[in-house]
Amino acid sequence: MQLSILWKGLMYDTDEYCAVNYHDASIMVHSEIEGWAKNKPIYVEYWLQLNRDWQVQSFEISASIADNNYKHALSLDKNGHWKCKKNLPHFNFEGCNYVDISISPFTNTLPVNGLQLAEGETTELSVIYIDVLQNEVRRERQKYTRLGSRLYRFDNLKDFEAEIIVDDNGLVVEYPGMFELIRVR
């Protein structure tokens, strides 16, 4: 099964075209984001390989921000340790099951679907945070609270909190001031 999704960026003038392919043992995601952010043209492409529990097994992201280009890629080895393409370990990311890409609402779907929180339940987790505009990849703590059947509060535990509405697939429908779902098919 495949889902094709289109989001409109509200904070920045972007569009995200995302394809989610469900397989027997994995979920594969490919997405492209294009538009303008902070008066600069941007193009971002990312690939995620997930297990059926929505936990990230590998990711690759490439970005063009004005004249700057960069790429990041990490994957889990057979022992569950994060490694880059040169097979060097990234111990700082041990225990991170999810990624959060700063200019994509899709990565909120990962903990929404993976954690399976009951209404009223809260959990904190560590994620690999990719700040696309700053070209930074770092470990961050975040908190998710399920407020209703399709309503979640996201808290980055520093300076940002938002209530997001998701659909039956866990996809962000409304992320106030940030993203809006245009179409799923």
Side-chain angles (χ1 to χ4, degrees):
M1 178 175 107
Q2 177 177 309
L3 290 177
S4 296
I5 308 130
L6 171 60
W7 281 284
K8 175 72 180 157
L10 303 175
M11 182 174 181
Y12 302 116
D13 183 18
T14 58
D15 292 312
E16 179 171 358
Y17 305 90
C18 184
V20 180
N21 289 285
Y22 298 84
H23 303 281
D24 289 339
S26 65
I27 302 168
M28 304 298 288
V29 179
H30 174 240
S31 199
E32 295 179 76
I33 303 165
E34 57 185 336
W36 291 82
K38 297 185 178 181
N39 296 316
K40 296 177 183 176
I42 66 167
Y43 177 79
V44 178
E45 191 169 15
Y46 67 85
W47 298 263
L48 303 174
Q49 179 182 355
L50 314 171
N51 64 21
R52 291 298 290 200
D53 294 324
W54 292 88
Q55 297 173 341
V56 178
Q57 305 302 292
S58 66
F59 73 88
E60 184 173 323
I61 184 168
S62 62
S64 296
I65 313 294
D67 294 330
N68 299 314
N69 300 300
Y70 62 86
K71 182 185 264 188
H72 299 283
L74 291 175
S75 60
L76 289 173
D77 67 14
K78 64 182 179 181
N79 298 314
H81 302 291
W82 286 104
K83 303 233 174 166
C84 68
K85 288 207 177 215
K86 294 179 182 176
N87 209 30
L88 299 172
H90 282 264
F91 296 115
N92 189 46
F93 299 135
E94 293 293 314
C96 294
N97 295 319
Y98 306 107
V99 298
D100 184 359
I101 298 172
S102 64
I103 62 170
S104 173
F106 178 76
T107 49
N108 293 98
T109 299
L110 307 179
V112 163
N113 286 344
L115 297 172
Q116 295 292 308
L117 298 175
E119 285 189 36
E121 189 177 2
T122 298
T123 193
E124 286 188 25
L125 62 151
S126 293
V127 301
I128 299 172
Y129 182 75
I130 303 162
D131 186 333
V132 173
L133 299 178
Q134 297 298 316
N135 187 18
E136 291 180 358
V137 179
R138 62 184 180 267
R139 180 187 190 102
E140 285 198 355
R141 295 285 294 166
Q142 297 179 347
K143 181 166 69 170
Y144 280 82
T145 303
R146 188 170 187 177
L147 302 173
S149 64
R150 297 193 306 156
L151 181 64
Y152 289 80
R153 180 181 301 119
F154 167 77
D155 185 346
N156 74 356
L157 299 175
K158 287 188 271 182
D159 58 1
F160 182 79
E161 210 176 278
E163 290 185 5
I164 57 176
I165 299 170
V166 300
D167 68 6
D168 292 338
N169 294 306
L171 300 169
V172 172
V173 172
E174 185 180 333
Y175 197 134
M178 300 287 288
F179 305 99
E180 177 181 89
L181 180 70
I182 302 299
R183 180 179 55 226
V184 177
R185 57 181 174 163

